[in-house]
Amino acid sequence: MPDAIARPLWTAAEVAAATGGVLHGDNRPIMGVTYNSREIARGDLFLALKGARDGHEFAADAFAAGAAAALVQHPVEGGPCIVVPDTLHGLEALGVAARQRAPQVKRGAVTGSVGKTSVTQAIKAGLDLAGPAHGSIKSYNNHIGVPLTLARMPVETQRAVFEIGMNAPGEIAPLSRFVAPHAACVTTVGPVHIEAFADGEAGVAREKAAIFQGLVPGGTAVANGDVAFAGVLAEAARAVNARLVVFGTQAGCDARLMDFRPDAEGATVTAELFGRPLQYRLAQSGAHWGLNSLCVLAMLDALDVPLETGLKALADFQPLAGRGQTRQVALVDGAFTLIDESYNANPLSMTAGFKSLGARAVSGRRVVVLTDMLELGDQSRSLHEGLAGSIDAAGLDLVHAAGPQMRWLYDALPVSRRGLWRETAAELAAEAAILVAPGDVVMVKGSNGSKASLVAKALADLQGRDTAPATR
């Protein structure tokens, strides 16, 4: 039996109608949408966006790779093109058109200082089990990623979830209005991107709460009740007459975490959801997944996904790359456990990671390898130094560090906890073989820009090798 022919996402004429553009060339079927000429699949619409480089320069490459058409600001050679005054505005219009042509879709939106991508993907796992679903990939959460994810939404979609992020004030509300979610959540609020806000974390809280401004009438606002700025989130929900659902550990929360028990295979969660007692399994062992899982369940409930479906999704949902993926690395004389948290870091996620590592049973040492946390502004020194208390509370044994900002933490540690410090992650990665020993559980964490992933890769590459651990 021949394979089914995929239904086109758009046609070139439909793109022209949605964007107000002019089609030059044939009306071809369009199977996907992308702005990266190196990621073109046959039948894609290529978006000639202007950034550090002008996307129009890559139109010929896109057509050579199989693009069906291009969205451009002036005609280009190589294939059909839809000419619009501004390609970014054209993408935004295409995203809105995708939303409007599929009014049946229940849409969710996710933001937060920590956990956006993992929570978004866990929600998506539940949506997938409930029917035709769509959602953000990677961390497509900005002024390009959000409309792009909308533009990629098939017309037959029943439910969708979108990640929304920010680097500066005023970015979240417009993106939420693009999505027009039926449910939106704030995973947590913390000192992330605080250099962009004159009042620090309070400004971050207001910006995160702005996701509720895009909710459809009668929509659901899901908010973390354990954060210091829970009142800001609740007030923002009330301002748009949203149904407020609060998750947390305190009495009175709609989704209340009662207990979190990590083990070698994941964790067992005891909770109450809208007054119903629950006990369920997670494939995640990080302590922050207690509240994360309740946020996911509250969002799935608001998007009409049965509880049993959500629990199954959570039981099967594995850590994402660089966000808690765990593996055994075999050495000549044994093995160590590598926890890769190298994708991102901030004070909140660092503390949660230390707590999770401290709860693990080990035959060797509990070791952390840390690189700089970025975008903390004039609070960077105090926030790096402040990690020493969390490391002590978690009972960790050894800290290796890289970067000028992590030097502040390194100097704040007692000598007994100091491993190696190097100026860069690359220098520390080159000495991976002396960072660990058989029986250790090792967590690597740092901001993406400070290259913690180099150390994580170097440690993973020790498979089958010998080590000579050092403490200094």
Side-chain angles (χ1 to χ4, degrees):
M1 186 176 188
D3 293 338
I5 298 174
R7 177 177 177 176
L9 182 64
W10 300 93
T11 67
E14 288 171 343
V15 172
T19 60
V22 177
L23 173 59
H24 295 253
D26 300 334
N27 179 26
R28 295 182 181 176
I30 289 169
M31 311 308 292
V33 183
T34 187
Y35 63 88
N36 189 337
S37 62
R38 294 170 295 183
E39 296 179 356
I40 288 286
R42 185 161 297 279
D44 277 356
L45 172 70
F46 172 65
L47 307 170
L49 299 176
K50 291 189 174 183
R53 297 281 300 273
D54 186 344
H56 292 77
E57 298 174 17
F58 304 99
D61 293 338
F63 282 121
L71 187 70
V72 295
Q73 291 177 199
H74 55 76
V76 295
E77 295 183 356
C81 54
I82 299 100
V83 180
V84 294
D86 184 284
T87 48
L88 178 58
H89 292 165
L91 170 60
E92 293 170 346
L94 190 62
V96 171
R99 188 192 75 213
Q100 292 175 339
R101 71 175 182 170
Q104 79 284 353
V105 178
K106 290 282 188 179
R107 297 176 300 276
V110 179
T111 196
S113 297
V114 180
K116 290 186 297 296
T117 300
S118 292
V119 167
T120 298
Q121 296 305 320
I123 292 170
K124 174 63 162 47
L127 301 186
D128 284 336
L129 293 180
H134 179 67
S136 303
I137 62 169
K138 302 178 184 177
S139 293
Y140 279 21
N141 61 24
N142 65 3
H143 66 291
I144 295 173
V146 172
L148 177 62
T149 302
L150 273 168
R152 290 172 167 176
M153 186 170 69
V155 70
E156 63 270 19
T157 301
Q158 292 179 1
R159 298 175 181 87
V161 62
F162 301 82
E163 180 181 339
I164 296 179
M166 65 89 184
N167 290 303
E171 294 181 346
I172 286 181
L175 296 178
S176 183
R177 292 189 184 104
F178 274 128
V179 173
H182 298 81
C185 67
V186 179
T187 62
T188 190
V189 174
V192 183
H193 301 303
I194 55 175
E195 66 182 7
F197 294 86
D199 54 352
E201 202 170 333
V204 172
R206 287 194 304 274
E207 180 65 16
K208 296 299 182 183
I211 195 171
F212 300 145
Q213 294 179 25
L215 283 166
V216 301
T220 298
V222 177
N224 188 327
D226 280 10
V227 299
F229 294 93
V232 173
L233 305 182
E235 182 180 349
R238 287 192 292 267
V240 296
N241 297 313
R243 168 186 174 239
L244 176 62
V245 173
V246 178
F247 65 94
T249 59
Q250 306 303 311
C253 288
D254 302 284
R256 185 182 182 190
L257 179 65
M258 313 296 288
D259 191 32
F260 183 89
R261 301 259 174 132
D263 54 54
E265 285 75 42
T268 299
V269 179
T270 303
E272 289 181 355
L273 182 62
F274 304 119
R276 174 179 174 178
L278 294 175
Q279 189 171 83
Y280 54 92
R281 287 289 300 170
L282 299 176
Q284 315 267 353
S285 61
H288 53 291
W289 267 98
L291 289 183
N292 277 358
S293 67
L294 290 177
C295 180
V296 170
L297 291 176
M299 286 290 289
L300 290 174
D301 176 78
L303 297 173
D304 297 332
V305 175
L307 175 60
E308 293 71 21
T309 303
L311 293 177
K312 176 171 176 30
L314 284 172
D316 295 337
F317 184 71
Q318 299 293 323
L320 303 176
R323 294 179 170 92
Q325 278 190 343
T326 302
R327 61 176 293 181
Q328 293 293 305
V329 180
L331 304 173
V332 171
D333 296 325
F336 70 92
T337 301
L338 174 61
I339 305 170
D340 183 359
E341 286 272 6
S342 63
Y343 184 79
N344 213 343
N346 53 66
L348 278 181
S349 64
M350 283 284 193
T351 299
F354 300 155
K355 182 178 179 181
S356 298
L357 179 57
R360 280 182 170 261
V362 299
S363 60
R365 305 168 300 177
R366 297 179 180 91
V367 181
V368 286
V369 185
L370 307 176
T371 64
D372 288 350
M373 300 182 292
L374 305 179
E375 300 182 46
L376 297 178
D378 58 10
Q379 296 186 47
S380 184
R381 179 167 188 155
S382 63
L383 290 171
H384 279 81
E385 290 176 338
L387 296 179
S390 299
I391 289 168
D392 182 63
L396 306 187
D397 298 301
L398 192 64
V399 179
H400 302 298
Q405 295 176 80
M406 272 300 162
R407 182 74 203 204
W408 293 323
L409 167 63
Y410 188 82
D411 290 342
L413 293 169
V415 172
S416 61
R417 280 201 173 98
R418 294 180 191 169
L420 299 182
W421 175 84
R422 295 293 182 262
E423 186 72 29
T424 67
E427 292 174 62
L428 195 59
E431 299 183 76
I434 62 172
L435 303 182
V436 296
D440 289 349
V441 179
V442 184
M443 183 182 76
V444 181
K445 193 163 182 65
S447 289
N448 196 35
S450 59
K451 307 296 185 184
S453 60
L454 295 178
V455 186
K457 183 179 185 306
L459 288 169
D461 288 345
L462 293 177
Q463 182 79 23
R465 292 175 55 188
D466 199 358
T467 59
T471 57
R472 198 56 63 80

